């Protein structure tokens, strides 16, 4: 059985840019900057693409060792699960649809992520932290 994941959408939102993905924790302002080969893997991972499919595609495209890419991607995914950014899917929730991983960095640079908490004070000034649990954001109270 292969592992797959999904984004914890109750707390996090992500935005992809050219060479980076930013993942924001809307509850406390923490954000994660994903760089290296992480951005190209991100969309596939949160779409429940099996982790072994993602690592194989990146290894094939970059010429890196498949064992190294698989090990690094598992460490990255485990770290994102520990941070509650990613949630593990049930075995039947795997997306077997083809995922386009043909684009991305031509070289292997690993799955880099940096955690930042410098937005927490600014976020607490904004009413987003007072989200109505039944109606969602932007409704408060």
């Amino acid at each position: 059985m292969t592992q797959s994941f999904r984004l914890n959408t109750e707390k996090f939102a992500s935005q992809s840019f050219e060479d980076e993905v930013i993942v924001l924790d809307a509850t406390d302002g923490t954000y994660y900057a994903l760089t290296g080969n992480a951005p190209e893997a991100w969309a596939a991972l949160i779409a429940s693409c099996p982790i072994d499919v993602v690592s194989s595609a990146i290894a094939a495209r970059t010429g890196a060792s498949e064992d190294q890419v698989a090990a690094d991607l598992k460490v990255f995914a485990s770290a994102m699960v520990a941070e509650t950014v990613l949630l593990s899917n049930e075995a039947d929730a795997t997306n077997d649809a083809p995922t386009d991983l043909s684009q991305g960095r031509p070289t292997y640079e690993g799955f880099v992520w940096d955690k930042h908490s410098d937005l927490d004070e600014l976020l607490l000034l904004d009413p987003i932290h007072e989200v109505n649990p039944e109606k969602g954001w932007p409704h408060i109270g």
Side-chain angles (χ1 to χ4, degrees):
M1 176 174 63
T2 186
Q3 269 187 300
S4 67
F5 304 93
R6 61 186 170 87
L7 180 63
N8 180 357
T9 56
E10 290 184 21
K11 283 184 64 174
F12 297 92
S14 69
Q15 177 69 45
S16 297
F17 299 96
E18 189 172 317
D19 293 337
E20 179 179 51
V21 171
I22 300 295
V23 181
L24 174 67
D25 182 336
T27 63
D28 71 6
T30 300
Y31 70 96
Y32 303 83
L34 312 180
T35 58
N37 296 98
E40 63 204 64
W42 184 251
L45 288 175
I46 65 173
S48 299
C49 186
I51 193 169
D52 58 340
V53 171
V54 177
S55 62
S56 292
I58 292 172
R61 193 189 70 256
T62 62
S65 159
E66 192 164 337
D67 290 340
Q68 182 66 52
V69 174
D72 292 348
L73 187 54
K74 286 179 183 173
V75 168
F76 170 72
S78 294
M80 292 293 100
V81 168
E83 295 285 325
T84 71
V85 174
L86 290 178
L87 301 174
S88 292
N89 273 330
E90 299 299 319
D92 61 353
T94 299
N95 179 359
D96 290 324
T99 302
D100 183 12
L101 288 164
S102 62
Q103 302 297 313
R105 295 182 181 276
T107 57
Y108 182 67
E109 298 176 17
F111 305 96
V112 181
W113 64 281
D114 294 307
K115 181 177 180 178
H116 304 276
S117 59
D118 50 347
L119 288 180
D120 56 351
E121 290 179 19
L122 290 175
L123 190 61
L124 291 175
L125 296 175
D126 191 86
I128 190 172
H129 74 282
E130 296 178 16
V131 173
N132 181 310
E134 293 177 17
K135 293 181 181 178
W137 189 81
H139 306 285
I140 60 173

